[in-house]
Structure formats: C-alpha cells, structure tokens
Amino acid sequence: MPDCIFCKIIAGEIPCNKVYEDEHVVAFHDIQPQAPVHVLFVPKKHMVSLQAMEAGDEVLLGHMMKVVAQQAQALGVSQGYRLVSNCGASAGQSVDLLHFHLLAGRNLQWPPG
C-alpha cells in the first residue's frame, strides 16, 4: 500500500530501530513507546487487521507468535510482557496494517484502558 507507513518501513523507505527481520515479519521499536520496552511486530503481507485474515494466514500468524516469544527472550522480558493488537479505529488502531505491540519493562495495569 503506497500510503502505509509500516509498508514504507518494511520497504526500507523509512528508517526504524529494527530488532528482527525475516522473510515474513519485521519487528522494530515503537517511536512513541508506552513502556520501557515497546516493540512492534508487523507482517510483510499487507492485511488490515485480524478481521481481514484469509485462508492460510494462520501459518503466518503462528510464525509471528513464535517470533514474538523469541524476541521477548532476546529482549530480556520473557518473564512478563503484554501483547496487543488493535482491530479498528474504535479500538485504537491508527495504522491500517495488522501489527502487534509487545509492551514490557514496567508493571502493566488491568484493565488496560
């Protein structure tokens, strides 16, 4: 998508503080962190949200969850973190590309807001 900021990051058009990349997913630090550790995990396949999943996408999402767990370990936060994906504007989704926020490094309150 030409106007998608995450697609531009994936394409290397916008720099980021990348922590991980493979053929399916890229992970980078959020530029407006909400916790001491705030990393975004973005699939390279453009899909708006979980609601836009197609047949076969569960393989990609399973891979993403494995990458999240591996990166939580690498970041030193595997003992406690929150993983969030907002679906739709009313839930706080501001970029129309599925992504997961890994938040850690402080006590996270519940309910989240």
Side-chain angles (χ1 to χ4, degrees):
M1 293 297 208
D3 293 332
C4 175
I5 190 167
F6 289 166
C7 288
K8 290 179 181 180
I9 289 171
I10 291 167
E13 297 170 17
I14 296 175
C16 69
N17 185 359
K18 195 179 303 180
V19 297
Y20 179 85
E21 182 174 16
D22 67 21
E23 64 274 12
H24 303 292
V25 63
V26 63
F28 51 90
H29 290 278
D30 195 301
I31 62 170
Q32 297 179 339
Q34 301 301 306
V37 176
H38 187 168
V39 175
L40 300 176
F41 292 81
V42 183
K44 290 186 175 180
K45 176 185 178 183
H46 191 97
M47 68 177 90
V48 173
S49 72
L50 290 171
Q51 292 306 122
M53 285 180 59
E54 298 173 343
D57 286 341
E58 60 273 8
V59 175
L60 170 61
L61 293 174
H63 174 72
M64 287 182 71
M65 295 302 101
K66 182 178 178 184
V67 168
V68 166
Q70 291 170 340
Q71 291 307 303
Q73 182 74 34
L75 292 163
V77 298
S78 62
Q79 75 285 353
Y81 60 91
R82 182 171 292 158
L83 191 63
V84 177
S85 182
N86 301 317
C87 285
S90 66
Q93 185 177 5
S94 59
V95 177
D96 286 335
L97 175 58
L98 173 70
H99 57 283
F100 293 92
H101 299 257
L102 182 146
L103 301 156
R106 66 172 172 82
N107 287 330
L108 300 169
Q109 302 300 309
W110 196 262

XYZ file of all heavy atoms in Angstrom:
862
model
N 0.850 -1.185 0.000
C 0.000 0.000 0.000
C 0.889 1.241 0.000
O 1.722 1.388 0.891
C -0.902 -0.003 1.222
C -1.917 -1.109 1.215
S -2.989 -0.882 -0.162
C -4.453 -1.629 0.385
N 0.691 2.127 -0.927
C 1.600 3.264 -1.071
C 1.606 4.248 0.091
O 2.624 4.869 0.354
C 1.135 3.937 -2.356
C -0.216 3.395 -2.650
C -0.318 2.071 -1.964
N 0.511 4.424 0.808
C 0.452 5.395 1.893
C 0.641 4.779 3.277
O 0.548 5.473 4.278
C -0.881 6.158 1.861
C -0.996 7.049 0.642
O 0.054 7.503 0.136
O -2.120 7.296 0.193
N 0.911 3.496 3.348
C 1.035 2.794 4.627
C 2.432 3.005 5.197
O 3.430 2.590 4.602
C 0.742 1.316 4.443
S 1.002 0.341 5.936
N 2.510 3.627 6.362
C 3.805 3.899 6.985
C 4.557 2.610 7.297
O 5.792 2.541 7.126
C 3.651 4.783 8.236
C 5.035 5.260 8.719
C 2.897 4.073 9.335
C 4.976 6.377 9.742
N 3.864 1.558 7.715
C 4.541 0.306 8.012
C 5.067 -0.353 6.731
O 6.136 -0.948 6.737
C 3.648 -0.654 8.784
C 3.397 -0.243 10.217
C 2.388 -0.834 10.948
C 4.165 0.723 10.844
C 2.146 -0.481 12.269
C 3.940 1.093 12.162
C 2.927 0.481 12.873
N 4.315 -0.239 5.627
C 4.808 -0.766 4.347
C 6.075 -0.029 3.928
O 7.007 -0.634 3.396
C 3.733 -0.648 3.268
S 2.365 -1.821 3.485
N 6.123 1.275 4.190
C 7.323 2.057 3.864
C 8.498 1.653 4.751
O 9.638 1.606 4.292
C 7.031 3.549 3.997
C 6.096 4.058 2.912
C 5.796 5.529 3.089
C 4.845 5.995 1.994
N 4.537 7.417 2.125
N 8.234 1.332 6.005
C 9.291 0.843 6.902
C 9.799 -0.509 6.404
O 11.009 -0.734 6.298
C 8.790 0.760 8.351
C 8.602 2.178 8.922
C 9.744 -0.064 9.218
C 7.916 2.232 10.262
N 8.885 -1.407 6.050
C 9.255 -2.730 5.546
C 10.096 -2.604 4.282
O 11.082 -3.323 4.099
C 7.996 -3.589 5.297
C 7.331 -3.955 6.633
C 8.334 -4.845 4.498
C 5.934 -4.521 6.499
N 9.738 -1.653 3.409
C 10.459 -1.452 2.149
C 11.792 -0.725 2.334
O 12.555 -0.579 1.386
C 9.572 -0.675 1.176
N 12.056 -0.248 3.547
C 13.297 0.471 3.804
C 13.257 1.940 3.433
O 14.281 2.619 3.442
N 12.068 2.456 3.113
C 11.907 3.864 2.735
C 11.908 4.783 3.952
O 12.201 5.965 3.828
C 10.612 4.054 1.941
C 10.591 3.292 0.634
C 9.219 3.301 -0.031
O 8.367 4.145 0.341
O 8.993 2.456 -0.909
N 11.538 4.245 5.101
C 11.538 4.995 6.358
C 12.410 4.210 7.333
O 12.207 3.003 7.513
C 10.110 5.160 6.923
C 9.254 5.997 5.982
C 10.144 5.786 8.314
C 7.800 6.108 6.400
N 13.396 4.862 7.960
C 14.260 4.136 8.892
C 13.522 3.756 10.172
O 12.537 4.399 10.554
C 15.384 5.139 9.186
C 14.802 6.474 8.886
C 13.767 6.275 7.824
N 14.009 2.711 10.802
C 13.454 2.278 12.081
C 14.575 1.649 12.897
O 15.636 1.329 12.374
C 12.314 1.283 11.873
S 12.840 -0.321 11.228
N 14.299 1.476 14.176
C 15.236 0.802 15.071
C 14.821 -0.668 15.109
O 14.098 -1.111 15.996
C 15.197 1.450 16.454
C 16.232 0.883 17.388
O 16.982 -0.020 17.039
N 16.261 1.409 18.603
N 15.279 -1.417 14.107
C 14.855 -2.792 13.894
C 15.506 -3.738 14.899
O 16.682 -3.630 15.197
C 15.245 -3.203 12.477
C 14.603 -4.445 11.953
C 15.042 -4.749 10.526
C 14.750 -3.615 9.592
N 15.182 -3.918 8.213
N 14.705 -4.675 15.402
C 15.231 -5.704 16.291
C 15.212 -7.086 15.637
O 15.919 -7.990 16.084
C 14.490 -5.756 17.649
C 14.664 -4.459 18.412
C 13.027 -6.093 17.486
N 14.406 -7.244 14.563
C 14.296 -8.555 13.930
C 13.697 -8.391 12.539
O 12.840 -7.523 12.316
C 13.382 -9.476 14.760
C 13.201 -10.833 14.151
C 14.124 -11.851 14.393
C 12.128 -11.109 13.314
C 13.969 -13.107 13.811
C 11.967 -12.358 12.732
C 12.898 -13.351 12.984
O 12.757 -14.585 12.409
N 14.146 -9.253 11.618
C 13.519 -9.324 10.305
C 13.789 -10.688 9.703
O 14.889 -11.233 9.810
C 14.058 -8.242 9.373
C 13.386 -8.244 8.003
C 13.803 -7.092 7.108
O 14.825 -6.445 7.402
O 13.104 -6.863 6.113
N 12.763 -11.255 9.070
C 12.913 -12.441 8.241
C 12.024 -12.255 7.020
O 11.558 -11.142 6.762
C 12.624 -13.735 9.031
C 11.173 -13.907 9.478
O 10.257 -13.282 8.892
O 10.941 -14.681 10.433
N 11.789 -13.310 6.272
C 11.017 -13.162 5.028
C 9.536 -12.873 5.260
O 8.832 -12.464 4.333
C 11.187 -14.390 4.128
C 10.641 -15.688 4.699
C 11.631 -16.427 5.595
O 12.665 -15.867 5.980
O 11.332 -17.592 5.922
N 9.049 -13.035 6.503
C 7.618 -12.887 6.781
C 7.263 -11.739 7.715
O 6.120 -11.270 7.704
C 7.065 -14.175 7.391
C 7.283 -15.376 6.540
N 6.651 -15.566 5.334
C 8.089 -16.452 6.717
C 7.044 -16.703 4.808
N 7.921 -17.260 5.628
N 8.189 -11.319 8.557
C 7.861 -10.353 9.609
C 9.043 -9.435 9.878
O 10.194 -9.819 9.671
C 7.422 -11.088 10.899
C 8.530 -11.933 11.465
C 6.898 -10.147 11.939
N 8.721 -8.230 10.308
C 9.743 -7.298 10.777
C 9.305 -6.789 12.148
O 8.105 -6.630 12.405
C 9.970 -6.146 9.763
C 8.750 -5.292 9.581
C 11.158 -5.305 10.140
N 10.278 -6.575 13.030
C 9.997 -6.064 14.373
C 10.918 -4.882 14.635
O 12.105 -4.931 14.313
C 10.214 -7.158 15.415
N 10.338 -3.831 15.218
C 11.113 -2.618 15.479
C 10.535 -1.882 16.668
O 9.373 -2.060 17.036
C 11.143 -1.702 14.242
C 9.789 -1.413 13.643
C 9.044 -0.322 14.052
C 9.257 -2.251 12.672
C 7.791 -0.058 13.505
C 8.008 -1.995 12.119
C 7.275 -0.891 12.540
N 11.376 -1.043 17.281
C 10.943 -0.260 18.435
C 9.940 0.804 18.007
O 10.119 1.470 16.980
C 12.152 0.398 19.121
C 13.039 -0.576 19.815
N 12.766 -1.063 21.082
C 14.183 -1.175 19.429
C 13.713 -1.900 21.436
N 14.585 -1.999 20.456
N 8.888 0.959 18.802
C 7.875 1.986 18.565
C 8.495 3.368 18.796
O 9.253 3.549 19.746
C 6.688 1.772 19.513
C 5.450 2.543 19.099
O 5.524 3.786 19.003
O 4.411 1.911 18.896
N 8.170 4.329 17.939
C 8.738 5.678 18.097
C 8.033 6.480 19.190
O 8.523 7.528 19.592
C 8.747 6.471 16.772
C 7.337 6.678 16.243
C 9.648 5.799 15.746
C 7.256 7.656 15.087
N 6.886 5.984 19.666
C 6.179 6.608 20.781
C 5.921 5.540 21.842
O 4.776 5.126 22.059
C 4.864 7.244 20.319
C 5.069 8.368 19.339
C 3.748 8.966 18.865
O 2.688 8.349 18.938
N 3.826 10.182 18.368
N 6.981 5.083 22.503
C 6.829 3.946 23.422
C 5.899 4.234 24.590
O 5.916 5.315 25.160
C 8.253 3.681 23.897
C 8.992 4.949 23.663
C 8.335 5.620 22.491
N 5.109 3.223 24.921
C 4.178 3.293 26.047
C 4.679 2.488 27.238
O 3.993 2.384 28.255
C 2.800 2.786 25.606
C 2.206 3.572 24.447
C 2.033 5.045 24.773
O 1.400 5.394 25.771
N 2.606 5.917 23.950
N 5.864 1.932 27.098
C 6.518 1.166 28.171
C 8.015 1.195 27.875
O 8.411 1.503 26.747
C 5.988 -0.270 28.194
N 8.847 0.872 28.863
C 10.291 0.858 28.612
C 10.698 -0.022 27.426
O 11.635 0.298 26.702
C 10.871 0.337 29.921
C 9.880 0.795 30.951
C 8.538 0.639 30.280
N 9.989 -1.125 27.232
C 10.171 -1.957 26.038
C 8.851 -1.913 25.272
O 7.804 -2.290 25.806
C 10.542 -3.418 26.396
C 10.617 -4.276 25.139
C 11.842 -3.460 27.170
N 8.900 -1.411 24.049
C 7.701 -1.334 23.204
C 8.140 -1.616 21.775
O 8.705 -0.761 21.099
C 7.047 0.040 23.311
C 5.731 0.129 22.611
N 4.890 1.196 22.794
C 5.092 -0.691 21.731
C 3.799 1.028 22.060
N 3.904 -0.117 21.404
N 7.913 -2.850 21.351
C 8.331 -3.306 20.030
C 7.103 -3.675 19.221
O 6.165 -4.287 19.734
C 9.287 -4.523 20.153
C 9.640 -5.090 18.789
C 10.557 -4.123 20.900
N 7.101 -3.283 17.949
C 6.020 -3.615 17.025
C 6.439 -4.781 16.144
O 7.568 -4.814 15.642
C 5.685 -2.415 16.141
C 5.231 -1.158 16.870
C 5.041 -0.021 15.879
C 3.958 -1.415 17.644
N 5.533 -5.726 15.950
C 5.743 -6.875 15.074
C 4.751 -6.751 13.926
O 3.539 -6.724 14.146
C 5.513 -8.183 15.842
C 6.559 -8.418 16.896
C 6.479 -7.789 18.132
C 7.636 -9.240 16.641
C 7.452 -7.982 19.101
C 8.614 -9.453 17.605
C 8.523 -8.817 18.833
N 5.274 -6.665 12.705
C 4.455 -6.370 11.524
C 4.689 -7.442 10.465
O 5.843 -7.716 10.113
C 4.827 -4.986 10.949
C 3.952 -4.631 9.768
C 4.745 -3.912 12.028
N 3.611 -8.030 9.925
C 3.812 -8.993 8.835
C 4.165 -8.249 7.549
O 3.732 -7.112 7.339
C 2.448 -9.673 8.717
C 1.475 -8.625 9.153
C 2.194 -7.846 10.240
N 4.931 -8.877 6.700
C 5.261 -8.266 5.413
C 4.097 -8.375 4.435
O 4.027 -7.625 3.479
C 6.528 -8.894 4.841
C 7.762 -8.497 5.645
C 9.023 -8.997 5.000
C 10.241 -8.487 5.756
N 11.488 -8.951 5.150
N 3.181 -9.287 4.708
C 1.957 -9.370 3.908
C 1.007 -8.301 4.424
O 0.735 -8.228 5.625
C 1.299 -10.742 4.038
C -0.021 -10.822 3.308
C -0.734 -12.135 3.522
C -2.077 -12.109 2.789
N -2.843 -13.334 3.012
N 0.480 -7.476 3.538
C -0.411 -6.405 3.981
C -1.810 -6.966 4.230
O -2.456 -7.479 3.326
C -0.485 -5.285 2.945
C -1.174 -4.078 3.473
N -0.483 -3.006 3.977
C -2.480 -3.786 3.622
C -1.337 -2.099 4.396
N -2.554 -2.559 4.186
N -2.233 -6.907 5.481
C -3.624 -7.189 5.843
C -3.997 -6.161 6.902
O -3.189 -5.829 7.755
C -3.839 -8.625 6.316
C -3.216 -8.990 7.632
S -3.586 -10.686 8.142
C -2.215 -11.552 7.412
N -5.178 -5.633 6.807
C -5.574 -4.504 7.653
C -5.592 -4.874 9.126
O -5.094 -4.120 9.963
C -6.935 -3.940 7.192
C -7.443 -2.881 8.153
C -6.812 -3.363 5.784
N -6.172 -6.002 9.470
C -6.283 -6.412 10.869
C -6.578 -7.901 10.911
O -6.664 -8.558 9.870
C -7.407 -5.633 11.576
O -8.670 -6.085 11.121
N -6.769 -8.422 12.102
C -7.147 -9.829 12.231
C -8.450 -10.120 11.502
O -8.660 -11.228 11.005
C -7.267 -10.208 13.709
C -5.956 -10.274 14.478
C -6.224 -10.443 15.974
C -5.067 -11.387 13.964
N -9.316 -9.129 11.408
C -10.599 -9.303 10.717
C -10.421 -9.519 9.227
O -11.335 -9.989 8.554
C -11.504 -8.101 10.972
C -11.977 -7.963 12.396
C -12.650 -9.213 12.908
O -12.230 -9.774 13.903
N -13.682 -9.677 12.251
N -9.259 -9.188 8.679
C -9.005 -9.325 7.243
C -8.239 -10.600 6.904
O -7.793 -10.773 5.768
C -8.234 -8.110 6.741
N -8.103 -11.497 7.875
C -7.374 -12.742 7.622
C -8.020 -13.530 6.496
O -9.236 -13.549 6.348
C -7.334 -13.609 8.882
C -6.387 -13.131 9.934
S -6.396 -14.201 11.398
C -5.926 -15.781 10.699
N -7.160 -14.186 5.724
C -7.612 -15.052 4.644
C -7.167 -16.481 4.954
O -6.344 -16.703 5.839
C -6.990 -14.599 3.319
C -7.389 -13.193 2.918
C -6.640 -12.702 1.692
O -5.584 -13.295 1.324
O -7.090 -11.713 1.108
N -7.691 -17.430 4.199
C -7.291 -18.825 4.367
C -5.778 -18.929 4.243
O -5.178 -18.353 3.344
C -7.975 -19.697 3.315
N -5.163 -19.618 5.157
C -3.724 -19.807 5.153
C -2.957 -18.811 6.001
O -1.787 -19.029 6.315
N -3.595 -17.698 6.370
C -2.896 -16.682 7.167
C -2.563 -17.149 8.579
O -1.694 -16.571 9.229
C -3.717 -15.385 7.243
C -3.691 -14.596 5.950
O -2.785 -14.835 5.119
O -4.574 -13.734 5.778
N -3.207 -18.217 9.032
C -2.909 -18.711 10.376
C -1.462 -19.208 10.471
O -0.852 -19.136 11.545
C -3.899 -19.805 10.815
C -3.923 -21.019 9.927
C -4.873 -20.924 8.730
O -5.432 -19.846 8.464
O -5.036 -21.952 8.049
N -0.892 -19.642 9.363
C 0.515 -20.056 9.358
C 1.406 -18.838 9.619
O 2.328 -18.888 10.437
C 0.885 -20.748 8.032
C 2.376 -21.056 7.974
C 0.069 -22.023 7.847
N 1.128 -17.749 8.933
C 1.879 -16.504 9.133
C 1.733 -16.009 10.566
O 2.713 -15.644 11.213
C 1.398 -15.429 8.153
C 1.916 -14.011 8.381
C 3.429 -13.946 8.275
C 1.258 -13.050 7.395
N 0.514 -16.009 11.082
C 0.286 -15.520 12.443
C 0.939 -16.428 13.479
O 1.473 -15.939 14.482
C -1.202 -15.353 12.699
C -1.842 -14.244 11.855
C -3.346 -14.218 12.055
C -1.236 -12.903 12.167
N 0.938 -17.715 13.243
C 1.639 -18.630 14.135
C 3.134 -18.353 14.137
O 3.784 -18.350 15.192
N 3.677 -18.092 12.967
C 5.097 -17.730 12.867
C 5.366 -16.444 13.631
O 6.357 -16.345 14.360
C 5.498 -17.582 11.398
C 6.883 -17.072 11.206
N 8.007 -17.841 11.463
C 7.339 -15.860 10.811
C 9.084 -17.126 11.219
N 8.714 -15.910 10.834
N 4.484 -15.468 13.493
C 4.666 -14.200 14.205
C 4.680 -14.420 15.710
O 5.495 -13.829 16.418
C 3.568 -13.202 13.826
C 3.719 -12.637 12.428
S 2.453 -11.419 12.032
C 2.977 -10.056 13.084
N 3.809 -15.271 16.225
C 3.764 -15.524 17.668
C 5.053 -16.191 18.135
O 5.575 -15.889 19.216
C 2.556 -16.385 18.040
C 1.209 -15.707 17.789
S 1.001 -14.137 18.667
C 1.323 -12.955 17.350
N 5.606 -17.085 17.304
C 6.885 -17.703 17.636
C 7.985 -16.649 17.687
O 8.812 -16.639 18.602
C 7.222 -18.791 16.614
C 8.510 -19.519 16.901
C 8.759 -20.617 15.879
C 10.085 -21.307 16.165
N 10.383 -22.310 15.141
N 7.988 -15.727 16.722
C 8.982 -14.648 16.684
C 8.826 -13.748 17.908
O 9.822 -13.346 18.524
C 8.872 -13.840 15.374
C 9.687 -12.553 15.437
C 9.307 -14.692 14.185
N 7.587 -13.433 18.293
C 7.354 -12.614 19.487
C 8.002 -13.275 20.706
O 8.728 -12.632 21.465
C 5.848 -12.381 19.734
C 5.590 -11.830 21.130
C 5.261 -11.448 18.669
N 7.747 -14.566 20.894
C 8.303 -15.275 22.051
C 9.833 -15.278 22.013
O 10.484 -15.054 23.042
C 7.760 -16.705 22.102
N 10.396 -15.506 20.859
C 11.864 -15.498 20.726
C 12.436 -14.117 21.027
O 13.453 -13.992 21.712
C 12.279 -15.931 19.325
C 12.004 -17.378 19.034
C 12.187 -17.730 17.568
O 12.163 -16.871 16.682
N 12.361 -19.020 17.297
N 11.790 -13.078 20.520
C 12.292 -11.719 20.726
C 12.071 -11.257 22.170
O 12.884 -10.506 22.701
C 11.674 -10.755 19.720
C 12.159 -10.992 18.305
C 13.672 -10.997 18.219
O 14.339 -10.032 18.591
N 14.232 -12.108 17.751
N 10.996 -11.699 22.802
C 10.809 -11.385 24.224
C 11.977 -11.950 25.023
O 12.511 -11.283 25.919
C 9.479 -11.940 24.725
N 12.392 -13.152 24.691
C 13.553 -13.766 25.346
C 14.807 -12.942 25.051
O 15.563 -12.603 25.960
C 13.735 -15.203 24.843
C 14.879 -15.939 25.487
C 14.579 -16.357 26.908
O 13.440 -16.682 27.232
N 15.572 -16.343 27.755
N 15.028 -12.586 23.784
C 16.219 -11.825 23.396
C 16.253 -10.441 24.046
O 17.327 -9.928 24.370
C 16.275 -11.693 21.868
N 15.075 -9.839 24.251
C 14.980 -8.511 24.867
C 15.036 -8.576 26.390
O 15.038 -7.541 27.059
C 13.692 -7.817 24.418
C 13.633 -7.428 22.946
C 12.190 -7.130 22.525
C 14.535 -6.244 22.660
N 15.028 -9.780 26.940
C 15.109 -9.948 28.386
C 13.812 -9.699 29.123
O 13.818 -9.373 30.304
N 12.676 -9.856 28.435
C 11.379 -9.578 29.070
C 10.444 -10.788 29.047
O 9.243 -10.653 29.285
C 10.687 -8.350 28.424
C 11.531 -7.111 28.613
C 10.376 -8.592 26.953
N 10.982 -11.968 28.791
C 10.117 -13.140 28.659
C 9.386 -13.501 29.948
O 8.389 -14.213 29.923
C 10.925 -14.342 28.157
O 11.944 -14.674 29.078
N 9.827 -12.953 31.084
C 9.159 -13.235 32.350
C 7.834 -12.490 32.493
O 7.020 -12.841 33.333
C 10.076 -12.905 33.547
C 10.233 -11.425 33.837
C 11.144 -10.647 32.882
O 11.813 -11.233 32.017
N 11.163 -9.338 33.012
N 7.598 -11.465 31.678
C 6.333 -10.745 31.753
C 6.220 -9.655 30.704
O 7.024 -8.728 30.689
N 5.259 -9.809 29.821
C 5.006 -8.794 28.795
C 3.550 -8.872 28.363
O 2.860 -9.854 28.630
C 5.947 -8.953 27.588
C 5.853 -10.272 26.849
C 4.978 -10.439 25.768
C 6.649 -11.356 27.215
C 4.914 -11.640 25.084
C 6.586 -12.553 26.541
C 5.724 -12.699 25.463
O 5.660 -13.894 24.790
N 3.106 -7.836 27.711
C 1.754 -7.797 27.155
C 1.873 -7.722 25.647
O 2.716 -7.000 25.111
C 0.995 -6.585 27.690
C -0.445 -6.508 27.173
C -1.230 -5.422 27.887
N -1.422 -5.832 29.275
C -1.689 -4.989 30.277
N -1.786 -3.688 30.050
N -1.850 -5.434 31.503
N 1.004 -8.459 24.953
C 0.941 -8.432 23.500
C -0.435 -7.929 23.105
O -1.446 -8.475 23.544
C 1.193 -9.837 22.938
C 1.418 -9.926 21.445
C 2.668 -9.166 21.026
C 1.520 -11.382 21.020
N -0.467 -6.858 22.294
C -1.728 -6.189 21.947
C -1.824 -6.027 20.441
O -0.843 -5.654 19.784
C -1.789 -4.781 22.597
C -3.049 -4.045 22.185
C -1.678 -4.874 24.101
N -3.021 -6.269 19.900
C -3.318 -5.933 18.511
C -4.676 -5.252 18.492
O -5.685 -5.840 18.890
C -3.346 -7.175 17.625
O -3.583 -6.803 16.281
N -4.700 -4.008 18.064
C -5.949 -3.254 17.978
C -6.609 -3.520 16.632
O -5.939 -3.510 15.600
C -5.660 -1.754 18.130
C -4.985 -1.442 19.445
O -5.358 -1.950 20.482
N -3.958 -0.605 19.387
N -7.912 -3.767 16.649
C -8.676 -4.018 15.420
C -9.706 -2.912 15.244
O -10.718 -2.877 15.952
C -9.391 -5.362 15.482
S -8.315 -6.769 15.248
N -9.429 -1.980 14.340
C -10.356 -0.903 14.044
C -10.060 0.362 14.825
O -9.453 0.335 15.899
N -10.504 1.467 14.262
C -10.238 2.783 14.854
C -10.810 2.911 16.267
O -10.171 3.500 17.141
C -10.795 3.881 13.955
N -11.974 2.352 16.510
C -12.582 2.490 17.841
C -11.798 1.729 18.910
O -11.952 1.993 20.099
C -14.039 2.033 17.823
O -14.122 0.653 17.561
N -10.944 0.804 18.486
C -10.087 0.072 19.426
C -8.700 0.691 19.531
O -7.859 0.196 20.266
C -9.968 -1.383 18.994
N -8.456 1.764 18.772
C -7.170 2.450 18.843
C -6.217 2.131 17.714
O -5.064 2.561 17.748
N -6.669 1.393 16.696
C -5.776 1.090 15.569
C -5.574 2.348 14.747
O -6.526 2.910 14.205
C -6.343 -0.029 14.701
C -5.405 -0.466 13.595
C -5.936 -1.634 12.778
O -7.061 -2.096 12.969
N -5.108 -2.134 11.883
N -4.320 2.807 14.647
C -4.037 4.049 13.917
C -3.328 3.804 12.592
O -3.260 4.703 11.760
C -3.205 4.998 14.783
O -1.989 4.385 15.144
N -2.792 2.606 12.372
C -2.176 2.240 11.099
C -2.922 1.019 10.582
O -3.034 0.011 11.288
C -0.675 1.922 11.263
C -0.072 1.485 9.937
C 0.074 3.135 11.813
N -3.425 1.110 9.362
C -4.236 0.032 8.796
C -3.383 -1.096 8.224
O -3.455 -1.439 7.040
C -5.190 0.578 7.742
C -6.354 1.337 8.343
O -6.695 1.066 9.515
O -6.929 2.195 7.656
N -2.561 -1.653 9.081
C -1.810 -2.867 8.776
C -1.710 -3.633 10.086
O -1.313 -3.061 11.115
C -0.415 -2.549 8.237
C 0.524 -3.749 7.993
C -0.088 -4.749 7.016
C 1.854 -3.292 7.459
N -2.124 -4.885 10.056
C -2.054 -5.724 11.259
C -0.681 -5.580 11.896
O 0.343 -5.630 11.212
C -2.284 -7.186 10.881
C -2.064 -8.199 12.002
C -3.154 -8.076 13.051
C -1.997 -9.598 11.451
N -0.658 -5.384 13.196
C 0.598 -5.363 13.932
C 0.319 -5.675 15.391
O -0.789 -5.507 15.872
C 1.328 -4.014 13.788
C 0.533 -2.825 14.217
N -0.477 -2.279 13.447
C 0.598 -2.064 15.335
C -0.997 -1.239 14.069
N -0.362 -1.086 15.226
N 1.358 -6.163 16.054
C 1.274 -6.497 17.464
C 2.257 -5.631 18.231
O 3.389 -5.450 17.804
C 1.608 -7.976 17.691
C 0.592 -8.907 17.115
C 0.738 -9.408 15.825
C -0.521 -9.283 17.842
C -0.199 -10.258 15.281
C -1.466 -10.137 17.301
C -1.313 -10.625 16.013
N 1.806 -5.105 19.363
C 2.645 -4.334 20.266
C 3.101 -5.259 21.379
O 2.263 -5.853 22.060
C 1.847 -3.198 20.927
C 1.287 -2.191 19.994
N 1.853 -0.952 19.836
C 0.202 -2.241 19.181
C 1.129 -0.259 18.963
N 0.127 -1.023 18.554
N 4.400 -5.381 21.588
C 4.939 -6.058 22.759
C 5.318 -4.958 23.741
O 6.116 -4.078 23.414
C 6.168 -6.891 22.390
C 6.782 -7.675 23.547
C 7.348 -8.988 23.039
C 7.853 -6.886 24.261
N 4.689 -4.974 24.910
C 4.921 -3.972 25.960
C 5.484 -4.668 27.190
O 4.940 -5.688 27.633
C 3.606 -3.282 26.323
C 2.908 -2.566 25.166
C 1.431 -2.437 25.441
C 3.548 -1.227 24.920
N 6.551 -4.108 27.742
C 7.175 -4.730 28.919
C 8.091 -3.725 29.600
O 8.284 -2.612 29.128
C 7.958 -5.965 28.504
N 8.645 -4.151 30.723
C 9.630 -3.343 31.416
C 9.067 -2.506 32.549
O 9.793 -1.747 33.178
N 7.773 -2.633 32.808
C 7.133 -1.968 33.944
C 5.906 -2.782 34.302
O 5.453 -3.627 33.517
C 6.761 -0.519 33.634
C 5.677 -0.348 32.579
C 5.237 1.105 32.473
N 4.355 1.359 31.361
C 3.038 1.144 31.340
N 2.422 0.657 32.402
N 2.319 1.420 30.259
N 5.334 -2.527 35.474
C 4.090 -3.196 35.837
C 2.969 -2.619 34.972
O 2.742 -1.411 34.961
C 3.779 -2.995 37.325
C 4.685 -3.811 38.207
O 5.142 -4.872 37.807
N 4.956 -3.331 39.402
N 2.296 -3.502 34.267
C 1.200 -3.098 33.382
C -0.128 -3.279 34.122
O -0.367 -4.333 34.704
C 1.244 -3.920 32.099
C 2.544 -3.761 31.298
C 2.621 -4.813 30.201
C 2.667 -2.367 30.731
N -0.943 -2.293 34.090
C -2.207 -2.297 34.837
C -3.303 -3.013 34.055
O -3.253 -3.139 32.833
C -2.643 -0.859 35.125
C -1.626 -0.044 35.901
C -1.322 -0.640 37.260
O -2.222 -0.939 38.030
N -0.036 -0.846 37.531
N -4.324 -3.439 34.794
C -5.517 -4.048 34.178
C -6.738 -3.488 34.842
O -6.736 -3.359 36.062
C -5.465 -5.572 34.318
C -6.440 -6.206 33.393
C -7.703 -6.645 33.702
C -6.260 -6.437 32.008
N -8.318 -7.130 32.592
C -7.442 -7.029 31.525
C -5.230 -6.211 31.102
C -7.634 -7.385 30.191
C -5.410 -6.577 29.787
C -6.598 -7.159 29.353
N -7.774 -3.094 34.151
C -7.868 -3.161 32.688
C -6.968 -2.127 32.028
O -6.625 -1.131 32.633
C -9.345 -2.884 32.412
C -9.832 -2.114 33.582
C -9.005 -2.552 34.755
N -6.606 -2.391 30.756
C -5.630 -1.548 30.091
C -6.134 -0.162 29.717
O -5.337 0.716 29.440
C -5.254 -2.348 28.843
C -6.423 -3.206 28.591
C -7.006 -3.527 29.927
N -7.407 0.063 29.659
C -7.877 1.389 29.336
C -9.019 1.346 28.418
O -9.492 2.147 27.781
